[in-house]
Amino acid sequence: MAIRHETDADHRAVREVHTRAFGEERVPALVEALRTARAPLAPMSFVATLGGRVVGHVLLSASRLDAPRRIVDVLSLSPLGVHPDAQGRGIGTRLIEHALAAADEQGVPLVFLEGSPVYYRTRGFEAASPLGFRSPSLRIPDPAFQVARLSAHEPWMTGTFVYSETFWAFDCVGLRDPDA
C-alpha cells in the first residue's frame, strides 16, 4: 500500500470510495466542495492505493477555533473513507497517521473530528470537551467530539470549534434524527 497526495486524476476514484464507504452522495459532494472552498488553510487530501487502485481517502480542511486570545486556524479531519473491499487492513489507520504528520509539519496546532471514540482514540485523538474545547453543534454526541493536539498546540488554545461554512451548507455536522 502507498499513501500520496490526491491528484485531479484521482477525483472519480475518491468519489467512488466515499460513495461505497458511506452509502450516500452527501459525503462525496462535501469532498468536492471542500477542495475548492476559500479557506485560510489549504486542504490536505491524501489517497491510499493498492496495486495502483485508490482504496482510501482522507481530507483535512480548514476550520477555526474561537479561543479566548484570538481565532486559531485549525483543521478538521473529515471525511475518512476506505472502500469496503479494502476495509480491515489498517488503511484508515495509515491515512490518519499520514494526515496528522502532514498537519504537524505545517505547524497546525489542532485537528478536530467527530467519530467513533473506540476507533479514533487509539489513533491519536482524545475527547475534546474535557480539554476545554466546545462542540460546534448539540447534535454531536460528546464522546464523538475529538481532537488531536499537535506540536504547535499551546495551553491557551481552548474554546469553541467552528466548522467551515461548507460543512453547514452540506448538512454534514452532527447526527440527524431520522424521525425528525
Side-chain angles (χ1 to χ4, degrees):
M1 180 187 63
I3 296 177
R4 60 174 171 75
H5 283 279
E6 177 192 33
T7 67
D8 291 348
D10 297 321
H11 289 186
R12 179 176 283 145
V14 166
R15 182 174 194 63
E16 175 69 14
V17 163
H18 289 301
T19 300
R20 295 288 307 275
F22 290 97
E24 60 158 295
E25 288 298 316
R26 189 170 32 151
V27 174
L30 173 69
V31 170
E32 290 173 10
L34 287 169
R35 283 185 188 120
T36 59
R38 288 188 47 196
L41 298 174
M44 289 189 263
S45 187
F46 302 102
V47 294
T49 61
L50 281 174
R53 176 179 164 236
V54 172
V55 294
H57 174 254
V58 66
L59 180 65
L60 295 170
S61 63
S63 294
R64 298 263 169 88
L65 179 70
D66 184 5
R69 285 191 189 174
R70 63 177 170 81
I71 300 294
V72 179
D73 292 322
V74 299
L75 293 172
S76 172
L77 188 151
S78 180
L80 167 69
V82 176
H83 194 285
D85 295 347
Q87 290 178 1
R89 299 183 195 178
I91 294 168
T93 298
R94 296 261 319 271
L95 281 166
I96 293 166
E97 289 169 353
H98 191 89
L100 291 178
D104 202 30
E105 277 182 31
Q106 294 292 320
V108 174
L110 300 159
V111 176
F112 289 87
L113 64 75
E114 54 182 278
S116 166
V118 172
Y119 183 78
Y120 289 102
R121 297 249 170 96
T122 60
R123 290 161 179 85
F125 287 84
E126 53 193 325
S129 295
L131 300 173
F133 301 104
R134 286 182 296 284
S135 171
S137 173
L138 296 175
R139 292 183 310 261
I140 301 172
D142 198 50
F145 179 49
Q146 298 171 73
V147 65
R149 295 180 289 174
L150 304 179
S151 304
H153 175 258
E154 296 180 29
W156 64 266
M157 294 178 182
T158 62
T160 302
F161 172 64
V162 181
Y163 275 111
S164 71
E165 176 57 31
T166 306
F167 278 90
W168 298 103
F170 281 83
D171 198 18
C172 287
V173 176
L175 302 177
R176 293 287 169 258
D177 181 353
D179 297 326

